[in-house]
Amino acid sequence: MMTLPAERIQSLVSGRERDPFAVLGPHRDGDLTVIRAFLPGACECRVAGPDGVAQSMTCVHEAGLFETEEPTSEIPGHYQLQAIMPDGSARAFHDPYAFPPVLGEYDLYLLGEGKHERAYDKLGAHPAIVDGVSGVTFAVWAPNAGRVSVIGPFNGWDGRAHPMRLHSPVGIWDIFIPGLAAGTAYKYEVRTADFHSKVDKSDPYAFQSELRPNTASIVYDLHQYAWGDDEWMTTGRAAHNDLSAPIAIYEVHLGSWRKTPAGERGAELEGWLNYRELAHELVEYARRMGYTHIELLPIMEHPYDGSWGYQVTGYFAPTSRHGTPDDFKYFVDYCHRNGVGVLLDWVPAHFPKDAHGLAYFDGTHLYEHADPRRGEHAEWGTLVFNYGRNEVRNFLLANALFWIDEYHVDGLRVDAVASMLYLDYSRQPDQWVPNRFGGRENLDAIELLKRFNELVHADGRHVLTIAEESTAWPMVTRPTYVGGLGFDLKWNMGWMHDMLKFMQMDPLFRRNNQNLITFSLWYAFNENFVLALSHDEVVHLKKSLLDKMPGDLWRKFANLRAFYGYMATHPGKKLLFMGGEIGQWREWSESRALDWNLLEDAGHRGLQQYVADLNALYRAEQSLFEVDFTWSGFEWVDFQDNDRSVIVFLRRAKDPADFTVVACNFTPLPRENYRIGVPVLGDYRELLNSDAETYGGSGVVNTGALVAERTPWHNQPCSLVLRLPPLATTILMCVAPAPVDLQAPDNGAGAPAANA
């Protein structure tokens, strides 16, 4: 007999049932046990108990609703349903509605409070064994939805087949579906509260996604990879990421660093290399070039190639363009086993409006602000996270920890921090809402960033956090307990802009703009800086770095080598975007590989060798990296020779007796017999000269020993005379200091700052 009222039956078959577990599966009814199953499209259904004996169920609605009664008050064990389809095909499976909730009360509490640091272990899709039955658990946050279902090829993408259980008031839906396994494609069908509309959403916590343009999530078992980087994780990372260690970062877009020959992978893969191939080719190259870290433009899943990964839809899924999650783990593992750190760009500032993504997720503004004055970046066409909401904060913080803990990455570079900090960022006066104190600071975002840095630096992780922050916001790289944001490093955007402006000038006009190359030292130690020549500087008609340089071909290369030399010796860690090391002529495009054929030319080979030698010197000389963030690591010798566009300075290690001398000549005229001040007597040797012929220079070098004299100069007690090559950086070291009793006294004697 039918035990459900007609309106409840209608809600099931029309997909409007808000509480399917109250209706489907086994239920007691007095001395009876009632089992109901809704199998859209089935014409017959049987139920088989643990003994394997099957009995037919009564069809109570032609859409596929079946019911049976047993004269017992005991709920049976995990019985199986046998569905018969109109074509005669049959399938047997355990009833999902006979299993308990996926999430326990404590997990629900932590998720609701936004305090679950491993939220990705609970939400999303996970292969599991429940009561001895294998399948997949699903859980998703959608508090304002009328109904959420798991859909996929296993149920014909029919949202009526597997509606989920709602946990109120936290708004999380869950279900265990027996018989599914890793590799299953799925989405969530979300019906709005009024049931007037529905949308198919990718899983916000999915570990794998389909290759674009497809957008389904894929069930993946993250626990099958066998890591081989124990030594790195226990000792290597801490030493590698120490702020007194050399940090030379190679910024890479995986899809365009190199590509396979046309047609080799098929049109859908666009010639992309697999993560495993990239591991061997890219890591070998990075090591040969002397880089300590590889920083990847966002590899989280994104639908649009032209966003370069900065419009993320799958925050927990490495993009399928290059393979599986295990393939990416192999990439990180291989980097570590070869002594190279891995940094990821992380994008908590905004997300795209794609219908399958986070936008308007449950029919309401769930992840984003409802007010477009706070919830939208008009210039980027993206939405802004609602940082004041517990569950949204939890999503982002758990995501940051996920990449560090599950993928062993060594740090996160946080994109567009300024857009998070300021409510009026890139907005007209009437297009933003002040905070509760009437100010422009985004208080919720500030707290998120502080908590992010506190969490990722806890538990001895020894990871780096790097802020792309383009304003003068104070204490970005100071601890949160003194009021800072807590980052380890910050990109020095001011240095980058000033230097590019200076280097693009004809040398004739540089004499009146010396401040552009010296001004950075006024603030160089206010923060822990990275000197970054990133992808942003070689796109959108800005020209490549080589093509920015003025003059003929020779001068372009010479200018760039001099620039790199100053960058390598200036206080701060280093970052160079791919292609800069080979003298890429064309602007970077995500759609094509770097022009590696340029290395057939001697000038480009020379530049590449120079960058490799510069990185090797930087890593070898402690004075160039040990003290990057205080004045004790830097000393001006002369910054006033404007007429010759020459600067001279010292870099010192923690031991101040360990120093290097750097001289930069930003004009195309060589300077013979140029005197510079030095701190001690002794023999000096040229460590590196960007004008060496092997690099494509003119060969104005200093061979043999340069002997310092007791002639005070540049407020130094001693001095030496050398050749300053044209458009070049020269790096010197005292290789044989004179005995102490021969040292000239530091009597404060000075001399004219300019040479005669």
Side-chain angles (χ1 to χ4, degrees):
M1 60 177 290
M2 184 174 68
T3 60
L4 282 179
E7 61 270 17
R8 206 67 186 268
I9 293 175
Q10 186 58 37
S11 71
L12 274 173
V13 301
S14 65
R16 294 171 177 263
E17 176 57 51
R18 296 177 183 272
D19 189 7
F21 279 83
V23 181
L24 301 175
H27 299 274
R28 290 191 182 94
D29 186 2
D31 292 333
L32 299 176
T33 292
V34 179
I35 297 176
R36 299 188 196 90
F38 180 46
L39 309 173
C43 60
E44 183 180 346
C45 184
R46 303 186 184 98
V47 59
D51 57 4
V53 177
Q55 66 179 47
S56 294
M57 301 178 71
T58 301
C59 180
V60 297
H61 194 285
E62 60 185 7
L65 180 61
F66 299 90
E67 180 180 281
T68 186
E69 297 178 356
E70 290 293 326
T72 175
S73 60
E74 295 185 6
I75 300 294
H78 291 310
Y79 56 86
Q80 285 195 317
L81 300 173
Q82 299 173 358
I84 313 300
M85 305 308 288
D87 62 2
S89 62
R91 60 187 182 96
F93 52 92
H94 289 277
D95 185 357
Y97 298 93
F99 288 83
V102 169
L103 298 176
E105 291 299 321
Y106 187 60
D107 286 322
L108 290 168
Y109 165 76
L110 290 178
L111 291 166
E113 292 293 310
K115 297 178 180 179
H116 206 307
E117 295 180 8
R118 296 181 65 89
Y120 53 86
D121 280 344
K122 302 301 176 180
L123 298 173
H126 302 273
I129 297 177
V130 178
D131 295 343
V133 178
S134 63
V136 175
T137 64
F138 297 89
V140 63
W141 177 56
N144 304 303
R147 186 261 291 161
V148 181
S149 298
V150 183
I151 57 175
F154 50 88
N155 61 18
W157 302 94
D158 189 336
R160 299 174 301 163
H162 289 103
M164 304 172 77
R165 173 193 290 109
L166 174 63
H167 294 276
S168 295
V170 294
I172 293 175
W173 304 73
D174 72 13
I175 192 172
F176 171 67
I177 303 182
L180 300 187
T184 301
Y186 71 99
K187 281 188 174 183
Y188 296 117
E189 183 183 279
V190 181
R191 295 292 296 262
T192 56
D194 59 11
F195 287 94
H196 287 167
S197 62
K198 66 179 180 178
V199 65
D200 297 344
K201 290 287 188 179
S202 301
D203 187 348
Y205 284 86
F207 297 146
Q208 186 180 18
S209 297
E210 288 186 311
L211 178 65
R212 64 103 177 99
N214 297 322
T215 58
S217 302
I218 298 174
V219 178
Y220 200 87
D221 183 357
L222 271 190
H223 306 298
Q224 55 192 353
Y225 184 81
W227 288 91
D229 64 347
D230 288 351
E231 183 178 352
W232 176 273
M233 297 297 288
T234 53
T235 59
R237 174 193 276 175
H240 211 66
N241 286 353
D242 193 301
L243 293 184
S244 64
I247 295 178
I249 303 168
Y250 188 46
E251 189 189 30
V252 174
H253 176 260
L254 289 180
S256 58
W257 181 70
R258 278 192 179 144
K259 288 184 179 288
T260 58
E264 185 174 295
R265 295 291 163 83
E268 73 280 1
L269 289 177
E270 304 287 341
W272 294 312
L273 294 172
N274 182 273
Y275 291 118
R276 294 174 187 260
E277 295 171 310
L278 284 160
H280 291 266
E281 295 189 29
L282 179 53
V283 173
E284 178 188 355
Y285 181 76
R287 290 187 65 192
R288 177 161 59 88
M289 291 299 297
Y291 292 104
T292 62
H293 295 74
I294 295 170
E295 180 179 315
L296 303 179
L297 270 64
I299 54 86
M300 299 80 180
E301 195 59 79
H302 53 283
Y304 177 46
D305 295 355
S307 77
W308 312 333
Y310 288 99
Q311 295 193 6
V312 180
T313 51
Y315 273 80
F316 289 83
T319 178
S320 54
R321 291 166 174 82
H322 304 292
T324 68
D326 275 8
D327 291 338
F328 183 61
K329 286 187 176 184
Y330 181 90
F331 175 89
V332 178
D333 197 8
Y334 191 83
C335 286
H336 289 171
R337 287 186 280 118
N338 286 275
V340 177
V342 180
L343 307 174
L344 296 186
D345 273 13
W346 186 54
V347 192
H350 61 128
F351 59 92
K353 299 178 180 179
D354 297 70
H356 69 281
L358 298 177
Y360 211 61
F361 189 82
D362 64 354
T364 68
H365 297 283
L366 190 63
Y367 285 87
E368 70 275 20
H369 285 278
D371 188 336
R373 295 175 298 171
R374 295 199 67 181
E376 188 167 352
H377 276 308
E379 68 169 329
W380 297 334
T382 54
L383 301 174
V384 181
F385 284 103
N386 183 349
Y387 306 112
R389 192 159 194 171
N390 288 343
E391 297 88 346
V392 174
R393 286 197 308 273
N394 203 158
F395 173 80
L396 291 171
L397 294 173
N399 183 245
L401 293 173
F402 170 79
W403 292 104
I404 293 167
D405 293 343
E406 296 295 329
Y407 282 94
H408 294 195
V409 302
D410 303 292
L412 299 172
R413 175 267 195 188
V414 183
D415 179 62
V417 170
S419 75
M420 299 174 66
L421 294 174
Y422 297 99
L423 294 167
D424 62 346
Y425 181 86
S426 191
R427 299 178 188 274
Q428 297 302 315
D430 61 342
Q431 292 300 310
W432 64 281
V433 181
N435 63 35
R436 61 181 178 272
F437 302 111
R440 59 197 287 252
E441 300 81 11
N442 190 332
L443 303 178
D444 293 330
I446 293 167
E447 289 307 308
L448 173 85
L449 291 171
K450 288 181 177 181
R451 186 60 180 150
F452 154 74
N453 280 303
E454 291 167 353
L455 282 176
V456 301
H457 287 119
D459 301 324
R461 289 187 174 94
H462 300 293
V463 297
L464 294 174
T465 60
I466 306 170
E468 185 210 15
E469 203 286 305
S470 56
T471 74
W473 187 278
M475 300 200 297
V476 172
T477 57
R478 298 297 178 258
T480 59
Y481 58 78
V482 298
L485 293 182
F487 286 92
D488 295 295
L489 297 164
K490 170 182 171 175
W491 278 15
N492 193 333
M493 312 294 278
W495 173 88
M496 178 271 296
H497 285 297
D498 286 349
M499 283 304 302
L500 288 177
K501 183 177 180 180
F502 180 83
M503 294 306 301
Q504 289 179 87
M505 290 179 178
D506 187 293
L508 180 65
F509 303 109
R510 289 176 178 171
R511 61 188 298 175
N512 296 320
N513 291 278
Q514 189 93 334
N515 63 301
L516 289 173
I517 55 172
T518 60
F519 180 68
S520 59
L521 270 302
W522 285 99
Y523 61 86
F525 311 116
N526 292 349
E527 300 280 5
N528 302 339
F529 281 120
V530 176
L531 308 182
L533 296 175
S534 75
H535 63 280
D536 281 328
E537 311 319 314
V538 293
V539 292
H540 303 321
L541 303 180
K542 295 177 185 176
K543 300 183 179 180
S544 69
L545 291 178
L546 180 61
D547 202 21
K548 291 179 195 288
M549 300 298 109
D552 59 18
L553 183 62
W554 186 91
R555 293 188 182 194
K556 283 180 178 291
F557 275 105
N559 270 300
L560 192 56
R561 292 193 303 269
F563 182 17
Y564 287 167
Y566 184 42
M567 175 183 179
T569 54
H570 187 289
K573 306 310 180 185
K574 325 298 176 188
L575 178 145
L576 183 64
F577 182 57
M578 64 181 199
E581 81 282 8
I582 65 172
Q584 179 82 8
W585 274 116
R586 297 191 295 181
E587 284 191 334
W588 170 63
S589 169
E590 80 287 343
S591 64
R592 61 173 183 261
L594 295 180
D595 294 323
W596 295 102
N597 60 298
L598 292 173
L599 293 174
E600 298 171 6
D601 176 80
H604 294 273
R605 288 197 307 274
L607 177 63
Q608 184 189 47
Q609 186 60 53
Y610 173 66
V611 172
D613 291 351
L614 193 58
N615 282 340
L617 176 65
Y618 165 68
R619 296 179 66 173
E621 295 300 326
Q622 290 177 290
S623 59
L624 295 179
F625 61 77
E626 262 195 343
V627 189
D628 267 326
F629 309 127
T630 70
W631 274 107
S632 60
F634 179 90
E635 181 181 349
W636 278 120
V637 173
D638 180 26
F639 59 86
Q640 295 178 318
D641 193 357
N642 298 34
D643 287 341
R644 295 174 176 83
S645 295
V646 171
I647 56 172
V648 184
F649 56 91
L650 305 178
R651 290 300 311 275
R652 295 187 188 273
K654 291 179 180 177
D655 176 2
D658 181 356
F659 67 92
T660 51
V661 183
V662 182
C664 300
N665 176 12
F666 291 110
T667 69
L669 299 176
R671 309 293 180 186
E672 299 289 346
N673 301 315
Y674 193 92
R675 184 176 294 274
I676 63 172
V678 292
V680 298
L681 290 173
D683 294 346
Y684 288 74
R685 178 171 61 88
E686 191 173 76
L687 298 178
L688 195 69
N689 185 325
S690 68
D691 193 50
E693 290 183 0
T694 188
Y695 305 136
S698 61
V700 178
V701 297
N702 296 276
T703 58
L706 299 168
V707 181
E709 307 168 358
R710 291 177 184 244
T711 303
W713 205 259
H714 292 146
N715 291 317
Q716 297 291 330
C718 314
S719 61
L720 57 81
V721 174
L722 76 162
R723 309 174 76 194
L724 277 188
L727 294 174
T729 294
T730 303
I731 306 171
L732 309 169
M733 181 179 186
C734 185
V735 294
V740 174
D741 60 345
L742 295 180
Q743 297 288 349
D746 187 359
N747 56 12
N755 281 258

